[in-house]
Amino acid sequence: MKRRNFILQSILGSAVLGIFSNSVTAFNLDKSLKNSAMISYKSNIFPLTIATWNFPNASKRAGELLAEGATALDAVEQGVMVEEADIRNTTVGKGGAPDRDGNVTLDACIMSPSGDAGAVVYLKYTSHAASVARKVMEETPHVMLAGEGADLFAIQQGFEKEELFTEGSKLAYQEWLKKKEYKPIINIENHDTIGMLCIDKNGDIAGACTSSGLSYKINGRVGDSPIIGSGLFLDNEVGGAVATGMGEAIMKSVGSFLIVELMRQGQSPQDACEEAINRIIKANPNFKEFQAAFIAVNKKGEIGSHCIQKGFSYVKYQDGKNENIPSSYNF
Ligand code: ASP
């Protein structure tokens, strides 16, 4: 690259970064450069919400809050709460499918723009697992609470004790008990774990990932969704990524962390998601038997998404509207 172009690109990059980090005044820009940076801001890239699968009510809730000026962290929490409360959704929150012994257990994590994180695993009595994760992040010196301790903590924090096993999930479980066949279904009901990333008006990013995990898992099994770096990772200087699908494969590749690091090195969100899926395929000879999917966004608002099997999509809420976008895939 010629030196002049390199300098120009660096200045432009800094201008855009300055806008996104709300510190444009720190840069000594000439007027035309300031204007070009302002244009990208006014083009309504931010605020921006993306979420795994087609959860339009959740993304709309987050997107509308962001439009009103909510922080990314508040918006992402409120967004995923919509699905956690929806008992028709058997893969997240209340109404989630149980493990093979009939326990509904929830896993979730949350990350703030500062890089702080909280998580809960094997939560049995509170549907809003991501909110409990936020309390772990904000009210304790720890990152993750599990099982009985997580439930007790939730109650101490004022969460209502709930029965998560609904009539609908009980009926499906009774049916499952007849054969007791454990075979995770690819693209189950065309939705699954909700992983959401929000970028607010200031350009700050937050994320959450919440799930009832794999249906009819072994009692005690925890997936990728609450694991920082696997189900979710973000860095406010770079962007973020979230995952859905076979947690075991995602955990072994630490996929969300990998994607953020690849973006840090200059890869686009799309290329980074493809690389993360390729690594899972390479490491798992049985890759055709399960789904794994990632979505990612960088601080320019560029989005990527890739999965193993056809059928995964993500939802984007931007500029007042939802869009359900099919992901690229390998097979
Ligand atoms: N990743 C979740 C888990 O393994 C489930 C899913 O998203 O399908 O628990």
Side-chain angles (χ1 to χ4, degrees), residues 53 107 192-193 211 213-214 221 223-225 243-248 250:
W53 303 100
D107 299 335
D192 219 313
T193 298
S211 181
L214 294 179
R221 181 264 188 192
D224 61 304
S225 307
T244 179
M246 182 59 73
E248 282 70 9
I250 295 164

Side-chain angles (χ1 to χ4, degrees), residues 249-250 253 273-292 294 306-309 329-331:
I250 295 164
S253 71
C273 288
E274 288 178 20
E275 173 64 19
I277 289 295
N278 285 340
R279 291 208 192 173
I280 288 177
I281 288 173
K282 221 168 154 188
N284 295 274
N286 65 335
F287 62 85
K288 286 202 174 156
E289 290 163 23
F290 63 85
Q291 177 67 294
F294 293 100
H306 197 66
C307 62
I308 302 178
Q309 327 275 353
Y329 53 88
N330 281 45
F331 300 100

Side-chain angles (χ1 to χ4, degrees), residues 57-319:
N57 297 332
S59 51
K60 186 165 182 269
R61 171 83 179 132
E64 286 178 349
L65 285 169
L66 289 171
E68 288 164 15
T71 63
L73 185 61
D74 286 341
V76 85
E77 179 190 358
Q78 294 286 326
V80 299
M81 278 176 81
V82 172
E83 289 308 317
E84 290 174 333
D86 187 347
I87 60 166
R88 292 165 305 176
N89 180 343
T90 60
T91 49
V92 179
K94 189 169 182 149
D99 63 26
R100 56 190 69 174
D101 296 333
N103 305 292
V104 179
T105 63
L106 307 182
D107 299 335
C109 70
I110 196 160
M111 279 191 87
S112 75
S114 68
D116 208 358
V120 285
V121 301
Y122 204 88
L123 192 72
K124 272 175 98 171
Y125 299 110
T126 308
S127 55
H128 293 302
S131 300
V132 182
R134 181 171 176 176
K135 289 285 185 194
V136 174
M137 174 174 84
E138 291 177 342
E139 306 295 335
T140 81
H142 308 305
V143 169
M144 182 181 284
L145 293 181
E148 208 181 311
D151 275 309
L152 191 61
F153 172 75
I155 302 298
Q156 285 165 351
Q157 290 295 317
F159 289 85
E160 191 192 328
K161 188 170 180 180
E162 298 168 77
E163 175 54 73
L164 303 180
F165 205 3
T166 56
E167 286 311 309
S169 290
K170 277 182 193 161
L171 284 175
Y173 176 55
Q174 293 305 329
E175 237 356 84
W176 180 82
L177 282 175
K178 289 180 187 163
K179 285 194 185 155
K180 294 191 178 173
E181 194 185 22
Y182 178 69
K183 199 166 186 295
I185 301 163
I186 292 170
N187 302 332
I188 184 169
E189 297 167 17
N190 273 331
H191 59 71
D192 219 313
T193 298
I194 181 164
M196 181 182 280
L197 296 163
C198 289
I199 303 186
D200 62 28
K201 282 182 172 176
N202 292 330
D204 290 324
I205 185 167
C209 190
T210 175
S211 181
S212 53
L214 294 179
S215 307
Y216 315 126
K217 58 197 173 185
I218 293 175
N219 183 3
R221 181 264 188 192
V222 169
D224 61 304
S225 307
I227 309 296
I228 300 298
S230 292
L232 163 71
F233 193 70
L234 61 85
D235 183 319
N236 203 33
E237 286 183 3
V238 179
V242 282
T244 179
M246 182 59 73
E248 282 70 9
I250 295 164
M251 277 192 273
K252 286 185 274 184
S253 71
V254 201
S256 293
F257 179 74
L258 171 67
I259 290 168
V260 173
E261 289 311 299
L262 292 172
M263 293 195 298
R264 191 194 305 280
Q265 289 161 25
Q267 285 202 19
S268 68
Q270 182 62 32
D271 285 351
C273 288
E274 288 178 20
E275 173 64 19
I277 289 295
N278 285 340
R279 291 208 192 173
I280 288 177
I281 288 173
K282 221 168 154 188
N284 295 274
N286 65 335
F287 62 85
K288 286 202 174 156
E289 290 163 23
F290 63 85
Q291 177 67 294
F294 293 100
I295 61 171
V297 62
N298 66 15
K299 292 284 297 227
K300 287 187 262 177
E302 294 166 339
I303 297 167
S305 166
H306 197 66
C307 62
I308 302 178
Q309 327 275 353
K310 186 180 179 181
F312 169 68
S313 66
Y314 68 95
V315 65
K316 173 176 83 163
Y317 188 94
Q318 189 177 36
D319 217 1

